[in-house]
Amino acid sequence: MESWQGLIDSEYRRWLPVTDRTPSVSLNEGNTPLLRSRHLSDLTGCDVRLKVEGANPTGSFKDRGMTVAISKAAEDGAELVLCASTGNTSASAAAYAARAGIASAVLVPAGRVALGKLGQAVRYGARIVEVAGTFDDCLRIARDLADHHPVALVNSVGNELRLSGQRTVAYETVDALGAAPDIHCLPVGNGGNITATWGGYRTFHAAGRSGRLPRMWGFQAAGAAPLVHGEPVAEPQTAASAIRVGDPATWQGAVDARDESDGLIGAVTDEQIFDAYQLLARKDGVFVEPASAAGVAGLLDRHDRGLLARGQTIVITLTGNGLKDQDASLRDGYTPVETGSSTAEVARALSHTALASALS
């Protein structure tokens, strides 16, 4: 059996905008786990599956699109790739650029990027510029630079290359389940992922690979929910930094995905997001960054309000690995139990009374 070689060298190649001249700049992205959540399934009466995108090489779903974008940039002879980012895009762009031997630069909002993601970009060798403003400011500047200078912009906005790669999450889901799910839940920040995922389902439906289409349920943080309010948010606020976006660049695509699929885009509070973040770790053993839990938080909110019918197949995209934002994991405090070095003392510290008594 051949080992997985990444998306461009997989069976999905024919669905990607690459040619025989396109080099395969890959870190063996894709082919991520689709885990059944026993807890969420029992709770909701549905078959709930978790698409664990944190298993990608740089720890997020961004790698799916970046392998295509950087491969095409290499084909075109690019000498510098540029992106604006809340963290995950910068890490992915820097890694794939390094793999291709191309210089990279990333624009990030100063003080608003999780250190795990910033640390990745630093180690991959990207030139990092911290902009005094929001992600939306970074993206505006990045687009302006790309319009007037010979750099390859690898943000998903208007970038069919990135979106085509991100559609593969739908392809893998259909192939794993045998058809599209009834509902696909995911976090929404800049709008590219819900747009691409819906596009992937539509592609496989049109090709006869799936006899049905899912409803797309996207969820934003309540303090950064422009698509819910129908207007940009000047100062988006949420501890889920990956979706702290006030003016989504792929606004229309996200709205189209919602409307065409008879789906929804809702808002969940940071409290709901962090409750779901903890639940995933303690019930399913899956450690995600906070924004990744927004889809789970949204599903639970719909269930709690009696708006989720039982018996459905539901897939939830978990967009990024928890190691990217360890500060979030420790934000509620961490108090270790200190003991002496005997087995009895450790047993007592663990509060296993019978064991402690037996060892004393």
Side-chain angles (χ1 to χ4, degrees), residues 339-350 352 355-360:
T339 77
S341 59
S342 72
T343 302
E345 289 172 299
V346 172
R348 283 192 292 271
L350 291 174
H352 292 305
L355 178 60
S357 298
L359 293 175
S360 62

Side-chain angles (χ1 to χ4, degrees), residues 297-320:
L299 180 68
L300 292 174
D301 180 68
R302 300 287 293 181
H303 172 262
D304 292 345
R305 292 192 285 136
L307 300 173
L308 180 68
R310 298 172 66 86
Q312 301 184 88
T313 299
I314 300 171
V315 170
I316 309 175
T317 298
L318 306 180
T319 47

Side-chain angles (χ1 to χ4, degrees), residues 237-276:
Q237 300 294 326
T238 175
S241 60
I243 53 173
R244 191 189 293 136
V245 178
D247 190 8
T250 318
W251 185 302
Q252 192 58 52
V255 170
D256 289 346
R258 176 197 66 192
D259 295 347
E260 292 171 5
S261 72
D262 192 27
L264 62 90
I265 296 178
V268 285
T269 66
D270 275 19
E271 181 180 7
Q272 289 175 301
I273 289 172
F274 275 85
D275 284 348

Side-chain angles (χ1 to χ4, degrees), residues 2-14 16 18 24-32 56-57 63-65 67-68 71 96 99 165 168 172:
E2 291 186 8
S3 62
W4 181 258
Q5 296 295 317
L7 293 170
I8 292 177
D9 294 318
S10 75
E11 63 174 307
Y12 303 124
R13 180 185 179 92
R14 66 190 179 105
L16 300 175
V18 297
S24 177
V25 181
S26 176
L27 291 166
N28 290 13
E29 61 294 315
N31 196 29
T32 56
N56 276 299
D63 294 347
R64 291 183 180 273
T67 183
V68 181
S71 293
Y96 281 81
R99 183 79 169 170
T168 58
E172 290 180 13

